[in-house]
């Protein structure tokens, strides 16, 4: 039970600081650490998160389906014990 009561609550905001490509994969780097997404960091296939993209004005970014590209999202790997 527990998680089913709170699984869809809350939100996190960050901005993309850099975009790079490594090993043929596009990576967006922001200031959201794995400490906020511990389950996703260790088991991404079981704990996915939806990610929405907004313009600098806070409007949802409108992109045509054919322009969508797979994108990894990375950030600092900070835990309270670090």
């Amino acid at each position: 039970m527990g998680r089913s009561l709170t699984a869809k609550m809350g939100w996190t905001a960050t901005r993309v600081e850099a975009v790079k490509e490594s090993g043929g994969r596009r990576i967006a780097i922001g200031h959201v650490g794995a400490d906020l997404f511990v389950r996703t960091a260790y088991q991404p296939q079981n704990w996915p998160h939806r990610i929405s993209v907004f313009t600098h004005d806070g409007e949802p970014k409108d992109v045509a389906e054919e322009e969508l590209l797979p994108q990894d999202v990375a950030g600092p790997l900070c835990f309270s014990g670090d």
Side-chain angles (χ1 to χ4, degrees), residues 4-82:
S4 66
L5 297 175
T6 61
K8 300 200 185 221
M9 295 184 68
W11 56 275
T12 301
T14 189
R15 67 178 178 180
V16 174
E17 295 291 329
V19 178
K20 68 179 189 175
E21 190 168 320
S22 180
R25 297 180 70 116
R26 294 174 48 89
I27 303 169
I29 302 168
H31 284 286
V32 176
D35 56 329
L36 296 175
F37 304 104
V38 176
R39 288 182 176 101
T40 300
Y42 291 113
Q43 295 183 322
Q45 69 281 5
N46 295 328
W47 300 97
H49 285 277
R50 294 185 190 108
I51 297 176
S52 300
V53 180
F54 296 85
T55 67
H56 66 280
D57 294 323
E59 298 295 323
K61 190 160 186 172
D62 188 22
V63 180
E65 187 72 30
E66 62 272 3
E67 294 179 27
L68 294 177
L69 298 170
Q71 184 87 42
D72 291 339
V73 178
L77 188 59
C78 300
F79 292 94
S80 61
D82 289 351

